[in-house]
């Protein structure tokens, strides 16, 4: 039996890279906007469907669980069906899921169709990243990853504002219908612009590994989400799923180290640069996205702002992240990855510390936004530059597994961070009656986020000290373990 797989990245001309980036960026913008729009719409959906917020929350949770369950399949699907066909399938699932979600007659069907969306969304990011990495030679890698970071700038800025406007001026149906024209354009462009895949021998699907990793991730994320929502990880609905998820993931790791055809290539962790990047992408997203859970809650509960107003106050951070990411990722080809990432972590931790230090019931908003600008500048120096550095030395055949692994650990880190912040905040808000006491509870919780950011600097110190000089475009692929830059 034959299969398809993408061309070696070292052979990808700039024109092919540009076409791939156009398609992937459009698909990523759609996915990022969808998540931020739906998060704004949860309270209105509870009113529309006359359902408790805990039930409506499954509109977001169901999507996340489906996303986590399907991500491990991405590497195998790219090898079995080809990156182009896998990406087209992901776009079709996401767009089709959006269409039927808009037609939902009840909260149960809406959650079901959000799961369909999540199956597509879980494939969009790792497959899109793998295609870009394959199409870019080392000379263009930094600039390509900078363009890939554009959705991070557009989504968080536009999503909350667009979602609020659609809810207020139209109806809840439009938070899903808005995806249809974007998805249709992405499908047409993907079919026309993405390069055809070469045919290679098929790689068997590691079914036992898949049956351990996908449910394991889903159970772990569910348990963390449930524990965070109730402020207690020891609850019956939180602790058993967490333990079961960890046991299944441990079983997957044990199998992956012994089987000939693992679902993911765990041998990639032998490469110090890849392992350091993975560890950084667990800790840093935990602190960053955990703090992003706190900020709108502080504005809305302690300061009494509306969801739209709190969303607008988040614009400076999103702009700073996007701008810094564009500059840093383009410069990663010319500077020390270790110096840039560690410096970014320090700046991000400093900005969040400044935010937490001056937190109070009446702190001027401009001072809080200024602190978030500092944090955003640091965040942009970390996220995409780490991804670029970690995947730069992977052989073309290892790119799907590498990009899939990075997306998995980032999702785990994000879930750990948001759950931890929820539990810490809940424990301190229990006795907080006044605005000052509430602000103090948020202030204490922010220090946990700062600590997670600071801890990310430890694995970042093992990133390459010097940039790797780009080789000629016709050079032989570099295996993940062949070269290590100290």
């Amino acid at each position: 039996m034959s299969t398809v797989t993408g061309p070696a990245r070292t052979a990808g001309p700039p024109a092919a890279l540009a076409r791939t980036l156009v398609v992937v960026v459009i698909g990523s913008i759609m996915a990022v906007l969808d998540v931020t729009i739906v998060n704004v719409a949860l309270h209105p959906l509870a009113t529309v469907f006359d359902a408790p917020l805990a039930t409506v929350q499954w509109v977001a949770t169901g999507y996340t669980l489906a996303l986590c369950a399907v991500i491990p399949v991405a590497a195998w699907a790219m090898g079995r069906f080809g990156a182009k066909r896998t990406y087209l399938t992901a776009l079709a699932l996401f767009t089709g899921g959006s269409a039927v979600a808009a037609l939902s007659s009840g909260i149960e069907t809406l959650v079901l169709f959000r799961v369909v969306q999540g199956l597509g969304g879980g494939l969009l990011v790792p497959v899109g990243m793998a295609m870009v990495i394959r199409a870019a030679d080392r000379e263009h890698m930094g600039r390509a990853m900078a363009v890939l970071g554009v959705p991070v700038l557009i989504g968080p800025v536009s999503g909350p504002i667009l979602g609020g406007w659609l809810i207020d001026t139209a109806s809840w149906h439009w938070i899903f219908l808005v995806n249809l024209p974007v998805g249709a354009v992405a499908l047409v462009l993907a079919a026309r612009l993405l390069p055809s895949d070469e045919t290679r021998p098929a790689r068997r699907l590691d079914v036992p590994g898949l049956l351990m990793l996908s449910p394991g991730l889903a159970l772990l994320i569910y348990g963390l989400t449930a524990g965070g929502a109730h402020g207690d990880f020891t609850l019956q609905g939180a602790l058993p799923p967490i333990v079961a998820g960890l046991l299944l993931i441990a079983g997957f790791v044990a199998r992956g180290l012994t089987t000939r055809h693992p679902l993911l290539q765990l041998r990639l962790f032998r490469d110090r640069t890849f392992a350091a990047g993975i560890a950084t992408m667990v800790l840093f997203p935990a602190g960053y996205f955990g703090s992003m859970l706190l900020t709108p809650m502080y504005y809305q509960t302690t300061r009494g702002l509306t969801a739209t107003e709190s969303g607008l106050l988040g614009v400076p951070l999103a702009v700073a992240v996007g701008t810094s990411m564009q500059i840093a990722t383009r410069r990663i080809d010319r500077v020390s990855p270790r110096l840039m990432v560690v410096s970014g972590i320090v700046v991000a931790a400093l900005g969040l510390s400044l935010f937490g230090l001056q937190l109070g019931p009446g702190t001027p908003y401009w001072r809080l936004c200024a602190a978030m600008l500092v944090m955003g500048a640091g965040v942009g120096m970390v996220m995409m530059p780490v991804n670029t550095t970690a995947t730069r030395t992977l052989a073309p055949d290892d790119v799907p597994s590498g990009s899939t692994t990075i997306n998995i650990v980032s999702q785990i880190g994000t879930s750990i961070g948001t759950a931890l912040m929820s539990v810490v905040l809940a424990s301190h808000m229990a006795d907080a009656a006044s605005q000052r006491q509430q602000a103090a509870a948020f202030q204490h919780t922010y220090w946990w986020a700062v600590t997670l950011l600071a801890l990310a600097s430890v694995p970042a110190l093992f990133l390459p000290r010097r940039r790797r000089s780009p080789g000629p475009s016709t050079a032989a692929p570099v295996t993940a373990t062949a070269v290590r830059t100290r």
Side-chain angles (χ1 to χ4, degrees):
M1 180 181 291
S2 62
T3 187
V4 281
T5 184
R9 65 181 177 195
T10 52
L17 173 60
R19 291 192 294 268
T20 302
L21 281 169
V22 168
V23 174
V24 173
V25 167
I26 292 175
S28 298
I29 288 175
M30 178 177 64
V32 173
L33 278 176
D34 178 82
V35 172
T36 54
I37 288 174
V38 170
N39 286 342
V40 172
L42 292 179
H43 282 279
L45 287 174
T47 302
V48 168
F49 290 108
D50 191 24
L53 187 59
T55 301
V56 175
Q57 184 66 38
W58 274 96
V59 173
T61 303
Y63 178 91
T64 302
L65 294 181
L67 180 143
C68 292
V70 78
I71 284 178
V73 186
W76 172 82
M78 280 184 276
R80 176 64 181 82
F81 303 107
K84 180 176 181 177
R85 277 186 276 185
T86 302
Y87 196 76
L88 285 168
T89 301
L91 286 173
L93 280 171
F94 191 92
T95 308
S98 300
V100 292
L103 301 176
S104 299
S105 58
I107 192 64
E108 296 82 5
T109 54
L110 179 57
V111 172
L112 174 63
F113 295 141
R114 283 288 287 169
V115 169
V116 176
Q117 271 190 287
L119 295 176
L123 293 173
L124 283 177
V125 175
V127 176
M129 181 182 294
M131 290 190 299
V132 170
I133 294 171
R134 283 174 164 178
D137 56 29
R138 291 178 189 152
E139 183 179 358
H140 297 91
M141 180 69 76
R143 280 170 284 181
M145 296 299 278
V147 176
L148 202 58
V150 168
V152 178
L153 171 61
I154 296 177
V157 174
S158 307
I161 299 173
L162 178 60
W165 180 75
L166 289 172
I167 289 291
D168 292 338
T169 62
S171 69
W172 69 269
H173 305 277
W174 282 96
I175 65 177
F176 301 108
L177 291 174
V178 72
N179 293 329
L180 301 189
V182 183
V185 170
L187 277 166
V188 172
L189 291 178
R192 294 177 62 89
L193 299 181
L194 291 179
S196 299
D197 298 312
E198 297 174 354
T199 301
R200 291 188 181 180
R203 182 171 67 87
R204 290 186 303 174
L205 175 63
D206 179 17
V207 176
L210 178 62
L211 293 178
M212 285 187 281
L213 183 57
S214 289
L217 288 173
L219 286 168
L220 176 61
I221 301 303
Y222 172 79
L224 290 172
T225 302
H230 294 90
D232 188 356
F233 290 128
T234 63
L235 293 176
Q236 185 177 1
L239 185 59
I242 291 175
V243 173
L246 290 174
L247 289 174
L248 285 170
I249 293 173
F252 165 78
V253 172
R255 175 176 173 79
L257 294 174
T258 56
T259 186
R260 291 183 58 189
H261 303 286
L263 186 66
L264 296 176
Q265 298 293 339
L266 299 183
R267 61 178 173 78
L268 298 180
F269 284 90
R270 298 172 186 168
D271 178 70
R272 193 179 78 170
T273 298
F274 184 78
I278 289 292
T280 304
M281 288 304 292
V282 172
L283 294 168
F284 193 84
Y288 171 53
F289 290 106
S291 70
M292 291 304 95
L293 169 75
L294 301 174
T295 307
M297 292 177 64
Y298 161 73
Y299 284 138
Q300 293 174 41
T301 58
T302 303
R303 305 300 293 270
L305 300 182
T306 65
T308 302
E309 290 170 335
S310 64
L312 289 172
L313 286 174
V315 169
L317 171 67
V319 172
V321 172
T323 304
S324 173
M325 182 180 295
Q326 290 297 308
I327 297 172
T329 312
R330 293 173 187 271
R331 294 287 300 170
I332 197 67
D333 292 328
R334 302 182 179 91
V335 302
S336 164
R338 182 189 305 176
L339 178 61
M340 173 177 288
V341 172
V342 172
S343 299
I345 292 172
V346 171
V347 172
L350 174 63
L352 191 57
S353 297
L354 291 174
F355 186 90
L357 279 171
Q358 56 186 337
L359 211 60
T363 309
Y365 293 119
W366 70 266
R367 285 168 52 185
L368 296 175
C369 288
M372 281 300 180
L373 280 172
V374 176
M375 179 186 177
V379 170
M381 297 168 65
V382 177
M383 305 286 278
M384 275 298 180
V386 169
N387 284 341
T388 305
T389 303
T391 56
R392 188 187 297 274
T393 60
L394 296 184
D397 288 344
D398 290 332
V399 167
S401 194
S403 63
T404 299
T405 303
I406 288 177
N407 279 277
I408 288 174
V409 300
S410 297
Q411 187 64 49
I412 292 175
T414 299
S415 300
I416 290 174
T418 53
L420 178 61
M421 297 307 123
S422 298
V423 170
V424 174
L425 179 63
S427 66
H428 286 81
M429 287 285 282
D431 300 322
S434 66
Q435 281 187 312
R436 185 170 299 279
Q437 291 173 324
Q438 291 176 1
F442 278 100
Q443 190 174 51
H444 178 89
T445 309
Y446 270 108
W447 290 119
W448 285 78
V450 172
T451 301
L452 288 171
L453 292 180
L455 287 174
S457 64
V458 176
L461 290 172
F462 292 91
L463 293 172
R465 185 175 58 192
R466 295 182 295 274
R467 73 176 183 90
R468 187 183 307 282
S469 299
S473 59
T474 56
V478 180
T479 63
T481 56
V483 179
R484 292 178 174 83
T485 303
R486 294 291 192 265

